[in-house]
Amino acid sequence: MSARPAAVRSAPLDVARVRADFPILATQVHGHPLVYLDSAASAQRPWAVIRAVDDYETHAHANVHRGVHALSQAATAAFEGARERVRRFINAASVREVIFTRGTTEGINLVAQAYARPRFRPGDEILISALEHHANIVPWQMVCEQTGCTLKVAPINRRGELEYEEYLRLLSPRTRLVGIAHVSNALGTVLPLARLIEAAHAHGAVVLVDGAQAIPHAQVDVRALQADFYTFSAHKVYGPTGIGVLYGREALLEAMPPWQGGGDMILTVSFEKTTFNELPYKFEAGTPNISGAVGLAAALDYVEGLGLEAIAAHEAQLLRLATAELAALPGIELIGTAAHKAAVLSFTLQGVHAHDLGTILDAEGVAVRTGHHCAMPVMTFFGVPATARASFACYNSESDVAALLAALKRAREVFG
Ligand SMILES: Cc1ncc(COP(=O)(O)O)c(C=O)c1O
Protein backbone atom coordinates (compact mmCIF):
# COMPACT_ATOMS: atom_id res chain seq x y z
CA MET A 1 0.00 0.00 0.00
CA SER A 2 1.23 3.55 -0.63
CA ALA A 3 2.29 4.19 2.85
CA ARG A 4 5.07 5.48 5.02
CA PRO A 5 7.24 2.67 6.35
CA ALA A 6 6.69 2.39 10.09
CA ALA A 7 9.51 4.11 11.96
CA VAL A 8 10.27 0.98 13.93
CA ARG A 9 9.93 -2.46 12.37
CA SER A 10 7.31 -4.03 14.57
CA ALA A 11 7.30 -7.54 16.00
CA PRO A 12 4.75 -10.06 14.71
CA LEU A 13 1.39 -9.78 16.43
CA ASP A 14 0.70 -11.90 19.47
CA VAL A 15 -2.92 -12.47 18.55
CA ALA A 16 -3.92 -14.01 21.88
CA ARG A 17 -2.72 -10.87 23.65
CA VAL A 18 -4.37 -8.60 21.10
CA ARG A 19 -7.66 -10.45 21.53
CA ALA A 20 -7.52 -9.92 25.28
CA ASP A 21 -7.53 -6.17 24.58
CA PHE A 22 -11.02 -6.40 23.02
CA PRO A 23 -13.64 -7.28 25.65
CA ILE A 24 -16.43 -7.81 23.11
CA LEU A 25 -14.61 -10.80 21.65
CA ALA A 26 -15.62 -12.78 24.75
CA THR A 27 -19.27 -12.52 23.64
CA GLN A 28 -21.22 -15.68 22.86
CA VAL A 29 -23.53 -15.54 19.84
CA HIS A 30 -26.29 -18.17 19.58
CA GLY A 31 -24.29 -20.33 21.96
CA HIS A 32 -21.05 -20.03 19.96
CA PRO A 33 -17.99 -17.89 20.66
CA LEU A 34 -18.19 -14.75 18.53
CA VAL A 35 -16.14 -14.90 15.33
CA TYR A 36 -16.12 -11.28 14.25
CA LEU A 37 -15.34 -10.93 10.55
CA ASP A 38 -17.08 -7.61 9.94
CA SER A 39 -14.41 -5.08 10.83
CA ALA A 40 -14.61 -3.37 7.43
CA ALA A 41 -18.10 -2.26 8.46
CA SER A 42 -16.99 -1.28 11.95
CA ALA A 43 -14.02 -2.46 13.97
CA GLN A 44 -14.33 -3.35 17.64
CA ARG A 45 -12.83 -1.19 20.39
CA PRO A 46 -9.94 -2.16 22.63
CA TRP A 47 -9.93 -1.41 26.35
CA ALA A 48 -7.53 1.46 25.64
CA VAL A 49 -10.25 3.28 23.69
CA ILE A 50 -13.09 2.33 26.02
CA ARG A 51 -11.10 3.51 29.03
CA ALA A 52 -9.91 6.75 27.40
CA VAL A 53 -13.51 7.69 26.58
CA ASP A 54 -14.67 6.63 30.04
CA ASP A 55 -11.89 8.63 31.70
CA TYR A 56 -12.75 11.72 29.68
CA GLU A 57 -16.46 11.40 30.46
CA THR A 58 -15.77 10.76 34.14
CA HIS A 59 -13.15 13.43 34.78
CA ALA A 60 -12.81 15.97 32.02
CA HIS A 61 -16.03 16.69 30.16
CA ALA A 62 -17.16 20.25 29.46
CA ASN A 63 -17.64 22.20 26.26
CA VAL A 64 -14.44 23.10 24.43
CA HIS A 65 -12.82 26.37 23.36
CA ARG A 66 -15.13 28.81 25.07
CA GLY A 67 -14.62 28.27 28.78
CA VAL A 68 -12.12 29.67 31.25
CA HIS A 69 -12.96 27.12 33.91
CA ALA A 70 -10.75 24.13 34.61
CA LEU A 71 -12.95 21.44 33.07
CA SER A 72 -13.43 23.36 29.86
CA GLN A 73 -9.70 23.79 29.61
CA ALA A 74 -9.18 20.07 30.28
CA ALA A 75 -11.70 19.18 27.58
CA THR A 76 -10.10 21.62 25.14
CA ALA A 77 -6.66 20.18 25.85
CA ALA A 78 -7.97 16.65 25.27
CA PHE A 79 -9.74 17.64 22.05
CA GLU A 80 -6.85 19.62 20.61
CA GLY A 81 -4.43 16.97 21.80
CA ALA A 82 -6.42 14.47 19.76
CA ARG A 83 -6.08 16.71 16.72
CA GLU A 84 -2.32 16.79 17.14
CA ARG A 85 -2.36 12.99 17.54
CA VAL A 86 -4.17 12.67 14.20
CA ARG A 87 -1.76 15.14 12.56
CA ARG A 88 1.20 12.98 13.59
CA PHE A 89 -0.52 9.77 12.52
CA ILE A 90 -1.12 10.95 8.96
CA ASN A 91 1.92 13.24 8.84
CA ALA A 92 -0.02 16.40 8.01
CA ALA A 93 2.06 19.56 8.04
CA SER A 94 -0.15 21.37 10.54
CA VAL A 95 -3.14 20.86 12.82
CA ARG A 96 -4.80 23.54 10.70
CA GLU A 97 -5.14 20.80 8.07
CA VAL A 98 -6.96 18.36 10.38
CA ILE A 99 -10.72 18.86 10.50
CA PHE A 100 -12.88 16.71 12.71
CA THR A 101 -16.01 15.44 10.95
CA ARG A 102 -18.68 12.84 11.72
CA GLY A 103 -16.80 10.41 9.50
CA THR A 104 -15.70 9.71 5.94
CA THR A 105 -19.12 10.49 4.53
CA GLU A 106 -19.13 13.95 6.03
CA GLY A 107 -15.54 14.58 4.94
CA ILE A 108 -16.45 13.89 1.32
CA ASN A 109 -19.63 15.97 1.53
CA LEU A 110 -17.63 18.84 3.01
CA VAL A 111 -15.26 18.85 0.04
CA ALA A 112 -18.15 18.45 -2.39
CA GLN A 113 -20.06 21.40 -0.97
CA ALA A 114 -17.25 23.74 0.09
CA TYR A 115 -14.63 23.01 -2.58
CA ALA A 116 -16.44 21.73 -5.66
CA ARG A 117 -19.83 23.41 -5.54
CA PRO A 118 -18.64 27.04 -5.51
CA ARG A 119 -16.04 26.42 -8.23
CA PHE A 120 -17.30 23.92 -10.76
CA ARG A 121 -19.18 24.92 -13.90
CA PRO A 122 -20.81 23.13 -16.85
CA GLY A 123 -18.00 21.53 -18.84
CA ASP A 124 -15.98 20.72 -15.72
CA GLU A 125 -15.56 17.05 -14.84
CA ILE A 126 -15.27 15.02 -11.66
CA LEU A 127 -13.61 11.63 -12.09
CA ILE A 128 -14.25 8.72 -9.75
CA SER A 129 -13.72 4.97 -10.13
CA ALA A 130 -16.24 2.19 -10.61
CA LEU A 131 -15.40 0.63 -7.25
CA GLU A 132 -16.36 3.54 -5.02
CA HIS A 133 -18.56 3.37 -1.92
CA HIS A 134 -21.80 5.32 -2.29
CA ALA A 135 -20.24 7.96 -0.02
CA ASN A 136 -17.80 8.72 -2.82
CA ILE A 137 -20.43 8.70 -5.57
CA VAL A 138 -23.58 10.42 -4.35
CA PRO A 139 -22.00 13.68 -3.05
CA TRP A 140 -20.45 14.19 -6.51
CA GLN A 141 -23.75 13.45 -8.25
CA MET A 142 -25.28 16.14 -6.05
CA VAL A 143 -22.56 18.61 -7.06
CA CYS A 144 -23.20 17.76 -10.72
CA GLU A 145 -26.90 18.56 -10.20
CA GLN A 146 -26.00 21.77 -8.43
CA THR A 147 -23.36 23.08 -10.84
CA GLY A 148 -23.98 21.40 -14.20
CA CYS A 149 -20.58 19.70 -14.16
CA THR A 150 -20.19 16.07 -15.30
CA LEU A 151 -19.34 12.86 -13.44
CA LYS A 152 -16.96 10.46 -15.21
CA VAL A 153 -16.28 6.93 -14.01
CA ALA A 154 -13.04 5.03 -14.61
CA PRO A 155 -13.83 1.32 -15.14
CA ILE A 156 -12.54 -1.74 -13.31
CA ASN A 157 -11.67 -5.18 -14.68
CA ARG A 158 -13.03 -8.60 -13.67
CA ARG A 159 -10.44 -8.89 -10.91
CA GLY A 160 -11.74 -5.67 -9.40
CA GLU A 161 -8.70 -3.58 -10.36
CA LEU A 162 -8.91 -0.08 -11.74
CA GLU A 163 -8.21 0.03 -15.49
CA TYR A 164 -5.26 2.38 -15.29
CA GLU A 165 -5.06 3.17 -19.01
CA GLU A 166 -8.77 4.03 -19.04
CA TYR A 167 -8.27 6.22 -15.99
CA LEU A 168 -5.49 8.07 -17.83
CA ARG A 169 -7.68 8.39 -20.90
CA LEU A 170 -10.50 9.95 -18.88
CA LEU A 171 -8.21 12.57 -17.32
CA SER A 172 -8.13 15.84 -19.20
CA PRO A 173 -7.80 19.56 -18.52
CA ARG A 174 -11.57 19.46 -17.86
CA THR A 175 -11.01 17.18 -14.86
CA ARG A 176 -11.25 19.43 -11.81
CA LEU A 177 -11.34 16.75 -9.13
CA VAL A 178 -10.58 13.05 -8.78
CA GLY A 179 -12.36 11.19 -5.95
CA ILE A 180 -10.80 7.80 -5.36
CA ALA A 181 -10.79 5.09 -2.70
CA HIS A 182 -7.48 4.04 -1.21
CA VAL A 183 -8.92 0.56 -0.59
CA SER A 184 -12.23 -0.78 -1.92
CA ASN A 185 -14.63 -1.81 0.83
CA ALA A 186 -16.53 -4.27 -1.37
CA LEU A 187 -13.55 -5.96 -3.06
CA GLY A 188 -10.50 -5.22 -0.94
CA THR A 189 -8.57 -3.83 -3.93
CA VAL A 190 -5.72 -1.51 -2.96
CA LEU A 191 -5.45 1.28 -5.48
CA PRO A 192 -2.09 2.51 -6.81
CA LEU A 193 -2.64 5.93 -5.25
CA ALA A 194 0.75 7.49 -5.92
CA ARG A 195 0.42 6.91 -9.68
CA LEU A 196 -3.21 7.99 -9.76
CA ILE A 197 -2.52 11.19 -7.85
CA GLU A 198 0.50 12.07 -9.94
CA ALA A 199 -1.48 11.67 -13.17
CA ALA A 200 -4.39 13.73 -11.81
CA HIS A 201 -2.04 16.51 -10.73
CA ALA A 202 -0.43 16.53 -14.16
CA HIS A 203 -3.85 17.60 -15.48
CA GLY A 204 -4.33 20.18 -12.74
CA ALA A 205 -7.02 18.21 -10.88
CA VAL A 206 -7.16 18.02 -7.10
CA VAL A 207 -7.51 14.58 -5.54
CA LEU A 208 -9.72 13.49 -2.68
CA VAL A 209 -8.86 10.08 -1.25
CA ASP A 210 -11.50 8.05 0.55
CA GLY A 211 -9.26 6.41 3.13
CA ALA A 212 -12.00 4.68 5.16
CA GLN A 213 -10.69 1.17 4.42
CA ALA A 214 -7.00 2.00 4.33
CA ILE A 215 -6.48 3.71 7.64
CA PRO A 216 -6.62 0.53 9.79
CA HIS A 217 -4.19 -1.33 7.54
CA ALA A 218 -1.37 1.05 6.61
CA GLN A 219 0.49 4.01 7.98
CA VAL A 220 -0.85 6.71 5.69
CA ASP A 221 1.40 9.66 4.96
CA VAL A 222 -0.70 12.35 3.32
CA ARG A 223 2.33 14.39 2.35
CA ALA A 224 4.23 11.50 0.77
CA LEU A 225 1.06 10.60 -1.14
CA GLN A 226 0.59 14.24 -2.14
CA ALA A 227 -3.12 13.87 -1.47
CA ASP A 228 -5.03 17.15 -1.57
CA PHE A 229 -7.78 15.77 0.65
CA TYR A 230 -7.78 12.51 2.62
CA THR A 231 -10.70 11.41 4.76
CA PHE A 232 -11.43 8.53 7.13
CA SER A 233 -13.69 7.38 9.97
CA ALA A 234 -12.52 6.55 13.50
CA HIS A 235 -14.76 3.50 13.83
CA LYS A 236 -12.89 1.64 11.08
CA VAL A 237 -9.65 2.00 13.02
CA TYR A 238 -10.86 0.75 16.43
CA GLY A 239 -12.18 4.17 17.51
CA PRO A 240 -15.69 5.42 18.26
CA THR A 241 -18.51 6.02 15.78
CA GLY A 242 -19.62 9.55 14.89
CA ILE A 243 -16.12 10.98 14.49
CA GLY A 244 -13.74 11.11 11.58
CA VAL A 245 -11.16 13.30 9.94
CA LEU A 246 -10.83 15.34 6.81
CA TYR A 247 -7.27 16.24 5.98
CA GLY A 248 -6.93 19.04 3.44
CA ARG A 249 -3.93 20.96 2.17
CA GLU A 250 -3.92 24.25 4.00
CA ALA A 251 -3.91 26.44 0.87
CA LEU A 252 -7.01 24.65 -0.42
CA LEU A 253 -8.88 24.78 2.90
CA GLU A 254 -7.94 28.43 3.34
CA ALA A 255 -9.54 29.32 0.01
CA MET A 256 -12.76 27.41 0.73
CA PRO A 257 -15.83 29.02 2.28
CA PRO A 258 -17.31 27.38 5.39
CA TRP A 259 -20.00 24.83 4.63
CA GLN A 260 -22.00 24.99 7.85
CA GLY A 261 -22.63 28.05 9.98
CA GLY A 262 -22.95 28.26 13.73
CA GLY A 263 -20.96 28.49 16.92
CA ASP A 264 -17.19 27.94 16.98
CA MET A 265 -16.69 28.59 13.26
CA ILE A 266 -16.95 32.40 13.66
CA LEU A 267 -14.72 35.16 14.99
CA THR A 268 -17.35 37.91 15.18
CA VAL A 269 -21.06 37.98 14.44
CA SER A 270 -23.31 40.96 13.91
CA PHE A 271 -26.52 41.19 11.95
CA GLU A 272 -24.62 43.09 9.28
CA LYS A 273 -21.56 40.93 8.93
CA THR A 274 -19.95 37.76 10.26
CA THR A 275 -16.27 36.97 10.11
CA PHE A 276 -15.12 33.39 10.10
CA ASN A 277 -12.73 31.63 12.41
CA GLU A 278 -9.32 30.41 11.28
CA LEU A 279 -8.54 26.83 10.25
CA PRO A 280 -9.51 24.24 11.23
CA TYR A 281 -12.40 25.74 13.25
CA LYS A 282 -13.90 27.40 10.16
CA PHE A 283 -15.17 23.93 9.20
CA GLU A 284 -16.26 22.79 12.66
CA ALA A 285 -19.56 24.52 13.38
CA GLY A 286 -21.21 23.62 16.68
CA THR A 287 -20.13 21.56 19.65
CA PRO A 288 -17.91 18.77 18.35
CA ASN A 289 -17.77 15.11 19.32
CA ILE A 290 -15.19 15.63 22.05
CA SER A 291 -15.19 12.17 23.59
CA GLY A 292 -15.08 10.73 20.07
CA ALA A 293 -11.88 12.64 19.35
CA VAL A 294 -10.40 11.39 22.61
CA GLY A 295 -11.33 7.84 21.64
CA LEU A 296 -9.85 8.28 18.18
CA ALA A 297 -6.56 9.47 19.64
CA ALA A 298 -6.47 6.43 21.92
CA ALA A 299 -7.21 4.18 18.94
CA LEU A 300 -4.32 5.64 16.96
CA ASP A 301 -2.02 5.14 19.96
CA TYR A 302 -3.25 1.57 20.12
CA VAL A 303 -2.58 0.68 16.48
CA GLU A 304 0.80 2.38 16.51
CA GLY A 305 1.59 0.42 19.66
CA LEU A 306 0.89 -2.84 17.83
CA GLY A 307 2.65 -1.55 14.72
CA LEU A 308 0.87 -0.91 11.43
CA GLU A 309 3.34 -3.14 9.61
CA ALA A 310 2.67 -6.02 11.97
CA ILE A 311 -1.10 -5.55 11.66
CA ALA A 312 -0.91 -5.46 7.86
CA ALA A 313 1.34 -8.54 7.71
CA HIS A 314 -0.96 -10.47 10.04
CA GLU A 315 -4.10 -9.56 8.06
CA ALA A 316 -2.38 -10.37 4.77
CA GLN A 317 -1.59 -13.84 6.10
CA LEU A 318 -5.24 -14.38 7.13
CA LEU A 319 -6.44 -13.10 3.76
CA ARG A 320 -4.09 -15.50 1.91
CA LEU A 321 -5.26 -18.43 4.03
CA ALA A 322 -8.97 -17.60 3.73
CA THR A 323 -8.68 -16.96 -0.01
CA ALA A 324 -7.04 -20.34 -0.60
CA GLU A 325 -9.49 -22.22 1.62
CA LEU A 326 -12.62 -20.61 0.17
CA ALA A 327 -11.43 -20.91 -3.42
CA ALA A 328 -11.21 -24.66 -2.88
CA LEU A 329 -14.84 -24.93 -1.68
CA PRO A 330 -17.24 -26.05 -4.46
CA GLY A 331 -19.87 -23.43 -5.25
CA ILE A 332 -17.93 -20.52 -3.80
CA GLU A 333 -17.07 -17.67 -6.14
CA LEU A 334 -14.63 -15.03 -4.96
CA ILE A 335 -15.63 -11.52 -6.00
CA GLY A 336 -12.56 -9.30 -6.16
CA THR A 337 -9.29 -11.05 -6.91
CA ALA A 338 -6.99 -8.08 -7.43
CA ALA A 339 -3.26 -8.70 -7.21
CA HIS A 340 -3.01 -6.18 -4.39
CA LYS A 341 -5.70 -6.52 -1.73
CA ALA A 342 -6.21 -5.63 1.91
CA ALA A 343 -8.18 -7.55 4.54
CA VAL A 344 -11.45 -8.04 2.61
CA LEU A 345 -12.81 -11.24 1.09
CA SER A 346 -16.11 -10.99 -0.80
CA PHE A 347 -17.77 -14.13 -2.10
CA THR A 348 -20.99 -15.77 -3.17
CA LEU A 349 -22.26 -19.32 -2.69
CA GLN A 350 -23.93 -20.72 -5.78
CA GLY A 351 -27.72 -20.85 -5.53
CA VAL A 352 -27.85 -19.14 -2.12
CA HIS A 353 -28.70 -15.50 -1.54
CA ALA A 354 -26.02 -13.72 0.47
CA HIS A 355 -28.52 -12.79 3.20
CA ASP A 356 -29.53 -16.43 3.71
CA LEU A 357 -25.88 -17.38 3.81
CA GLY A 358 -25.18 -14.64 6.35
CA THR A 359 -28.03 -15.91 8.52
CA ILE A 360 -26.64 -19.44 8.56
CA LEU A 361 -23.16 -18.16 9.37
CA ASP A 362 -24.61 -16.02 12.17
CA ALA A 363 -26.28 -19.07 13.67
CA GLU A 364 -22.77 -20.53 13.96
CA GLY A 365 -21.51 -17.34 15.66
CA VAL A 366 -19.73 -16.08 12.54
CA ALA A 367 -20.42 -12.42 11.79
CA VAL A 368 -19.91 -11.44 8.15
CA ARG A 369 -21.53 -8.62 6.22
CA THR A 370 -23.96 -9.46 3.46
CA GLY A 371 -25.54 -7.16 0.91
CA HIS A 372 -24.31 -4.59 -1.57
CA HIS A 373 -21.83 -3.02 0.88
CA CYS A 374 -22.94 0.48 -0.18
CA ALA A 375 -21.34 -0.22 -3.54
CA MET A 376 -24.29 -1.11 -5.78
CA PRO A 377 -22.41 -0.31 -9.01
CA VAL A 378 -19.79 -2.91 -8.03
CA MET A 379 -22.52 -5.52 -7.57
CA THR A 380 -24.02 -4.57 -10.94
CA PHE A 381 -20.60 -4.88 -12.60
CA PHE A 382 -20.13 -8.40 -11.24
CA GLY A 383 -23.75 -9.34 -12.00
CA VAL A 384 -24.64 -10.26 -8.42
CA PRO A 385 -27.31 -8.74 -6.17
CA ALA A 386 -25.12 -9.05 -3.12
CA THR A 387 -22.07 -10.77 -1.70
CA ALA A 388 -21.01 -12.07 1.68
CA ARG A 389 -17.93 -10.26 2.92
CA ALA A 390 -15.47 -11.44 5.53
CA SER A 391 -13.06 -8.76 6.66
CA PHE A 392 -10.03 -9.12 8.89
CA ALA A 393 -8.56 -7.03 11.67
CA CYS A 394 -5.69 -7.27 14.12
CA TYR A 395 -7.71 -9.47 16.50
CA ASN A 396 -8.66 -12.16 13.99
CA SER A 397 -6.89 -15.50 14.07
CA GLU A 398 -6.46 -18.56 11.92
CA SER A 399 -9.12 -20.25 14.02
CA ASP A 400 -11.56 -17.52 12.90
CA VAL A 401 -10.80 -18.53 9.31
CA ALA A 402 -11.37 -22.17 10.27
CA ALA A 403 -14.70 -21.24 11.89
CA LEU A 404 -15.75 -19.40 8.73
CA LEU A 405 -14.88 -22.41 6.65
CA ALA A 406 -16.76 -24.81 8.93
CA ALA A 407 -19.81 -22.54 8.91
CA LEU A 408 -19.69 -22.33 5.11
CA LYS A 409 -19.58 -26.13 4.87
CA ARG A 410 -22.58 -26.24 7.19
CA ALA A 411 -24.39 -23.72 4.96
CA ARG A 412 -23.70 -25.89 1.92
CA GLU A 413 -25.27 -28.85 3.74
CA VAL A 414 -28.33 -26.79 4.74
CA PHE A 415 -28.90 -25.53 1.21
CA GLY A 416 -28.08 -28.93 -0.28
C1 LIG B 1 -14.63 2.92 1.33
C2 LIG B 1 -15.62 3.57 2.25
N1 LIG B 1 -15.92 4.86 2.08
C3 LIG B 1 -16.78 5.50 2.87
C4 LIG B 1 -17.41 4.85 3.90
C5 LIG B 1 -18.36 5.60 4.77
O1 LIG B 1 -17.87 5.68 6.06
P1 LIG B 1 -18.78 6.29 7.23
O2 LIG B 1 -20.10 5.57 7.16
O3 LIG B 1 -18.02 5.99 8.48
O4 LIG B 1 -18.91 7.75 6.96
C6 LIG B 1 -17.15 3.51 4.12
C7 LIG B 1 -17.86 2.75 5.17
O5 LIG B 1 -18.09 1.57 5.06
C8 LIG B 1 -16.22 2.86 3.28
O6 LIG B 1 -15.93 1.56 3.45
Side-chain angles (χ1 to χ4, degrees):
M1 211 178 289
S2 308
R4 178 162 47 119
V8 181
R9 181 165 287 277
S10 34
L13 285 194
D14 177 345
V15 183
R17 282 187 61 181
V18 171
R19 290 180 69 81
D21 291 338
F22 289 82
I24 206 166
L25 297 180
T27 305
Q28 295 274 314
V29 174
H30 308 306
H32 298 275
L34 169 67
V35 174
Y36 190 73
L37 296 173
D38 195 20
S39 301
S42 200
Q44 299 297 346
R45 280 53 140 167
W47 278 120
V49 169
I50 296 166
R51 290 194 176 120
V53 171
D54 185 57
D55 191 53
Y56 167 79
E57 299 288 10
T58 310
H59 301 294
H61 174 66
N63 210 334
V64 289
H65 297 148
R66 291 179 286 266
V68 293
H69 63 79
L71 274 188
S72 177
Q73 290 186 3
T76 303
F79 186 64
E80 293 304 327
R83 196 189 306 276
E84 166 58 20
R85 185 69 191 85
V86 172
R87 185 204 66 72
R88 266 194 294 133
F89 192 79
I90 60 174
N91 197 30
S94 157
V95 286
R96 294 164 60 81
E97 299 180 322
V98 176
I99 295 161
F100 283 122
T101 63
R102 282 193 299 123
T104 308
T105 302
E106 191 172 78
I108 298 171
N109 276 278
L110 194 165
V111 175
Q113 291 303 309
Y115 181 81
R117 188 178 182 180
R119 283 176 179 72
F120 295 3
R121 301 280 171 268
D124 290 341
E125 292 175 1
I126 296 169
L127 177 58
I128 61 173
S129 86
L131 52 63
E132 301 304 320
H133 186 282
H134 296 163
N136 203 23
I137 302 173
V138 183
W140 307 121
Q141 289 174 327
M142 290 165 67
V143 167
C144 290
E145 283 283 318
Q146 289 157 347
T147 67
C149 72
T150 305
L151 187 65
K152 297 278 178 176
V153 183
I156 54 175
N157 62 26
R158 296 301 296 175
R159 291 187 300 278
E161 295 159 331
L162 183 69
E163 294 275 27
Y164 182 60
E165 294 304 320
E166 286 299 304
Y167 170 81
L168 291 184
R169 206 180 52 72
L170 285 164
L171 280 173
S172 80
R174 288 187 299 279
T175 314
R176 301 289 308 275
L177 183 141
V178 171
I180 197 95
H182 195 162
V183 174
S184 152
N185 68 308
L187 303 169
T189 312
V190 179
L191 284 98
L193 269 196
R195 275 198 294 161
L196 301 181
I197 293 174
E198 195 184 334
H201 284 169
H203 286 87
V206 301
V207 181
L208 173 135
V209 181
D210 171 352
Q213 294 296 339
I215 205 78
H217 309 300
Q219 189 124 36
V220 170
D221 182 330
V222 289
R223 277 190 283 175
L225 281 173
Q226 302 202 16
D228 298 297
F229 299 102
Y230 193 102
T231 185
F232 64 92
S233 306
H235 70 103
K236 310 276 192 196
V237 62
Y238 313 106
T241 52
I243 180 97
V245 170
L246 172 68
Y247 157 82
R249 277 201 297 115
E250 185 166 344
L252 294 175
L253 293 174
E254 203 59 81
M256 287 158 57
W259 80 308
Q260 290 178 338
D264 244 24
M265 53 73 74
I266 51 85
L267 284 180
T268 62
V269 176
S270 74
F271 289 119
E272 289 71 40
K273 183 167 172 56
T274 289
T275 57
F276 300 126
N277 206 342
E278 60 184 18
L279 290 174
Y281 313 112
K282 182 171 81 170
F283 293 108
E284 293 180 357
T287 301
N289 182 351
I290 310 165
S291 67
V294 168
L296 169 58
L300 300 183
D301 283 345
Y302 181 78
V303 290
E304 277 199 354
L306 295 183
L308 266 300
E309 252 185 45
I311 294 173
H314 171 69
E315 293 166 345
Q317 165 58 19
L318 294 180
L319 184 62
R320 267 194 301 275
L321 177 68
T323 302
E325 298 275 18
L326 264 67
L329 270 188
I332 292 280
E333 188 188 353
L334 302 181
I335 307 289
T337 50
H340 197 183
K341 285 185 62 176
V344 163
L345 189 56
S346 265
F347 56 91
T348 57
L349 177 58
Q350 198 176 22
V352 182
H353 192 281
H355 288 309
D356 297 333
L357 180 58
T359 306
I360 297 287
L361 298 188
D362 179 59
E364 305 287 315
V366 178
V368 298
R369 184 126 308 232
T370 56
H372 53 62
H373 316 295
C374 293
M376 282 189 182
V378 173
M379 301 297 118
T380 306
F381 176 79
F382 282 97
V384 293
T387 72
R389 180 188 71 185
S391 52
F392 302 105
C394 63
Y395 39 68
N396 290 120
S397 63
E398 294 195 359
S399 65
D400 290 342
V401 175
L404 170 66
L405 211 73
L408 280 172
K409 287 180 178 159
R410 170 105 190 87
R412 285 181 50 228
E413 284 163 20
V414 170
F415 292 105

